[in-house]
Amino acid sequence: MRHAVFVKNAAVLTVTSLILRTVGIGFRIFLADKLGAEGMGLYQLIVSVYVLGSTFATSGISTAVTRLVADEAVCGTARSVRHILYRSLFLSVTIGLLSTALIYGGADLISVYAIRDVRAAPALRILSFSLPSMGISSCLRGYLIARRKAAGSSYAQLLEQAVRIGVIALLIDRAAAKGLAAACAAVMLGDTVAEWTACGYLALRYKCDARRMRQDLPSRASTPRSPVMRRLFSIAVPITAGRYLNTALRTVENILVPNNLAKYSGRTEQGLAEFGALKGMALPLIFFPASFLSAISTLLIPEISAANALHQRSKINRAVERTLQITLLSSVLIGAVFFTFSNEIGMLLYHNQDVGRYLAFLAPLTPIMYAESLVDGILKGLNQQVSSLRYSVADSALRIVLILLVVPRYGMKGFLFIMVVSNVMTSFLNTHRLLTVTGIRIQWRNWVVGPLLGAGASMSLTYFLCRLPFFVHINGIIQIILGILCLCGTYVLLLWLLGCVRPSELKKQLA
């Protein structure tokens, strides 16, 4: 029953993530058409401040609520679960209101001295009102994930995206006619309305589940529990500190990059355009296929936390091995697809050759970035959030120093080099910590070497087929689809021939 629930929730989150990412990519294409490359660069800078504000508002509380509620499902009571949730909500709302006051009151200062573009101020003021709702939603999502009610969180995300797109679509043309400041403000208004709508829906889902929770959980705890706030802070504080520092440093980084690109090129507009093409267009495409992996990472936190509370080390190790194998096999294929069809995808979606070049450069990093994201989530489930904090802060500090030293001299090439150094370092540190804690070993032949050989051979064959006469004259979209299908089919076949994947192993993995 537990396995069936996990698979069901993974399917729900995967489908939801696919829908959201597909709609999100389409929406970014729509925004790029309305705002242009410079507008996307300004929008991305505003989003950086938005992410910083949301980090303060949510305070890393979602992971803490998920872990604590998952633990209480094993050793606690319905009353203790409610106690955890209510204390978390109080903490999140308090910090959310403080964040609103800081960003609303400091919008002009942030625009002038941080973003260095006064056009961002109206958008910053509007987005500040969404921060309390984000804190509430974060707690409720953490509760629903821990209760294995992933559908509630998924439906809230779908509703949020629908409202966001609807509001922005109604306002963007009229706002864009008044300039980039009004256009970005309209986008942030859509985000704010969407966040409060999703918050209301999640509150209704919690109310519906509260009665069921009282039936599911015992009236008495099986073991004595320490005070709620102590456990809450022991989990939330390291995660929160890490997110505060990491997000603050990343915000500084996002502000420094276009300014230093402008120093290299001598043109502010070009710096914003290059930054928008990389962060606002290429990177979202790279992470678009990660729907299944992000769903697994989210669901593993309560599962690993509960197993860790019961000292079920073998169960944890099996889960980690399976997810690492799936992540590496699939991410190598995804990187091969983006590398082979980088220019075609960039021109098809954004009509921008720079996007294609960035995709080709980022594609080999795909396995590293995907693995880093997954391992970070697993470490949090294993109560290793302090290690994640150290690694993320060190990474961000290094990136900022390198941006100041390298980007003014080498431009975008220098920043892309910094991304390589950063991703390799953080992925190595997080993975090494995970292997140390769990004691598992990477199967290099089946998880790394074999997939890389299969990807290389598949890319070569696909490249040759796509240049045959009957392929050249096919419609662009159909040509890309056929090429991707050919690459994927060849890759899977080669993995089977190389012994990296066997039907018996797959059946065992899914059992």
Side-chain angles (χ1 to χ4, degrees), residues 443-471:
Q443 299 179 26
W444 290 98
R445 179 188 176 279
N446 291 337
W447 297 3
V448 180
V449 177
L452 289 176
L453 291 175
S458 301
M459 291 164 58
S460 300
L461 178 61
T462 304
Y463 182 86
F464 172 75
L465 290 176
C466 287
R467 273 140 188 86
L468 293 177
F470 72 93
F471 248 93

Side-chain angles (χ1 to χ4, degrees), residues 38 51 122 178 196 238 249 270 322 325 333:
E38 180 186 357
V51 171
K178 299 178 182 179
W196 278 105
L249 291 171
Q270 184 175 341
R322 290 174 184 177
Q325 180 182 15
L333 173 61

Side-chain angles (χ1 to χ4, degrees), residues 100-141:
T100 297
L102 289 173
I103 292 182
Y104 186 89
D108 289 327
L109 292 175
I110 295 171
S111 299
V112 173
Y113 294 105
I115 297 178
R116 298 185 182 180
D117 197 319
V118 295
R119 294 175 293 182
L124 292 175
R125 291 194 179 91
I126 292 173
L127 75 83
S128 67
F129 290 103
S130 68
L131 299 179
S133 68
M134 296 178 72
I136 298 171
S137 297
S138 180
C139 293
L140 296 175
R141 283 195 176 98

Side-chain angles (χ1 to χ4, degrees), residues 262-394:
K263 289 180 181 179
Y264 173 77
S265 64
R267 297 174 54 197
T268 302
E269 296 81 4
Q270 184 175 341
L272 272 177
E274 289 178 334
F275 180 72
L278 176 64
K279 287 292 188 80
M281 301 179 191
L283 271 176
L285 284 175
I286 288 290
F287 282 101
F288 169 71
S291 304
F292 176 72
L293 300 178
S294 62
I296 294 295
S297 179
T298 300
L299 293 174
L300 275 177
I301 292 177
E303 298 295 336
I304 289 178
S305 181
N308 201 36
L310 296 173
H311 306 290
Q312 296 174 336
R313 183 60 56 183
S314 60
K315 181 179 179 180
I316 294 173
N317 288 355
R318 285 198 305 271
V320 171
E321 287 178 351
R322 290 174 184 177
T323 50
L324 270 178
Q325 180 182 15
I326 293 171
T327 300
L328 292 172
L329 294 182
S330 58
S331 59
V332 168
L333 173 61
I334 292 167
V337 169
F338 277 118
F339 187 84
T340 305
F341 299 98
S342 56
N343 186 61
E344 290 84 352
I345 293 173
M347 291 302 297
L348 176 67
L349 297 180
Y350 292 109
H351 308 289
N352 190 318
Q353 290 183 342
D354 288 338
V355 175
R357 286 196 292 270
Y358 298 150
L359 286 176
F361 185 88
L362 294 171
L365 292 177
T366 303
I368 296 174
M369 292 190 290
Y370 279 31
E372 178 191 345
S373 178
L374 178 77
V375 170
D376 182 70
I378 295 174
L379 286 175
K380 289 182 174 66
L382 290 171
N383 201 31
Q384 296 293 316
Q385 52 268 13
V386 176
S387 297
S388 295
L389 164 62
R390 291 199 303 265
Y391 303 151
S392 62
V393 171

Side-chain angles (χ1 to χ4, degrees), residues 42-312:
L42 179 60
Y43 166 71
Q44 200 63 38
L45 290 175
I46 296 170
V47 168
S48 298
V49 178
Y50 181 63
V51 171
L52 178 61
S54 68
T55 302
F56 278 96
T58 56
S59 309
I61 206 72
S62 178
T63 303
V65 171
T66 299
R67 285 188 51 192
L68 288 178
V69 173
D71 289 349
E72 291 301 313
V74 177
C75 306
T77 66
R79 182 178 180 182
S80 63
V81 170
R82 289 196 303 272
H83 197 45
I84 289 168
L85 183 61
Y86 294 161
R87 291 293 182 92
S88 304
L89 285 170
F90 174 78
L91 183 63
S92 292
V93 170
T94 301
I95 298 175
L97 291 174
L98 178 62
S99 302
T100 297
L102 289 173
I103 292 182
Y104 186 89
D108 289 327
L109 292 175
I110 295 171
S111 299
V112 173
Y113 294 105
I115 297 178
R116 298 185 182 180
D117 197 319
V118 295
R119 294 175 293 182
L124 292 175
R125 291 194 179 91
I126 292 173
L127 75 83
S128 67
F129 290 103
S130 68
L131 299 179
S133 68
M134 296 178 72
I136 298 171
S137 297
S138 180
C139 293
L140 296 175
R141 283 195 176 98
Y143 166 85
L144 291 173
I145 292 297
R147 289 276 296 151
R148 279 79 179 179
K149 306 288 183 181
S153 178
S154 297
Y155 296 152
Q157 290 177 298
L158 292 172
L159 177 63
E160 178 185 331
Q161 187 73 301
V163 172
R164 174 182 291 110
I165 292 173
V167 173
I168 293 173
L170 287 173
L171 300 176
I172 190 66
D173 285 330
R174 193 178 306 170
K178 299 178 182 179
L180 282 182
C184 290
V187 174
M188 288 302 143
L189 178 60
D191 285 344
T192 301
V193 173
E195 290 287 354
W196 278 105
T197 303
C199 179
Y201 177 79
L202 287 168
L204 291 175
R205 294 290 302 207
Y206 164 71
K207 187 175 181 180
C208 293
D209 184 67
R211 183 178 300 176
R212 178 68 180 273
M213 178 182 64
R214 288 194 292 269
Q215 298 173 355
D216 291 344
L217 300 184
S219 58
R220 286 188 179 182
S222 59
T223 59
R225 313 298 284 164
S226 58
V228 170
M229 293 305 289
R230 184 190 303 171
R231 287 188 288 146
L232 182 64
F233 278 110
S234 69
I235 298 173
V237 168
I239 296 175
T240 299
R243 287 182 178 173
Y244 283 177
L245 288 172
N246 193 39
T247 307
L249 291 171
R250 286 296 168 92
T251 302
V252 172
E253 172 194 320
N254 287 336
I255 292 170
L256 287 175
V257 171
N259 291 331
N260 282 278
L261 288 174
K263 289 180 181 179
Y264 173 77
S265 64
R267 297 174 54 197
T268 302
E269 296 81 4
Q270 184 175 341
L272 272 177
E274 289 178 334
F275 180 72
L278 176 64
K279 287 292 188 80
M281 301 179 191
L283 271 176
L285 284 175
I286 288 290
F287 282 101
F288 169 71
S291 304
F292 176 72
L293 300 178
S294 62
I296 294 295
S297 179
T298 300
L299 293 174
L300 275 177
I301 292 177
E303 298 295 336
I304 289 178
S305 181
N308 201 36
L310 296 173
H311 306 290
Q312 296 174 336

Side-chain angles (χ1 to χ4, degrees), residues 411-428:
M412 182 54 75
K413 291 180 181 179
F415 183 62
L416 292 174
F417 168 76
I418 293 170
M419 290 186 66
V420 173
V421 173
S422 168
N423 281 282
V424 170
M425 183 186 77
T426 53
S427 181
F428 171 79

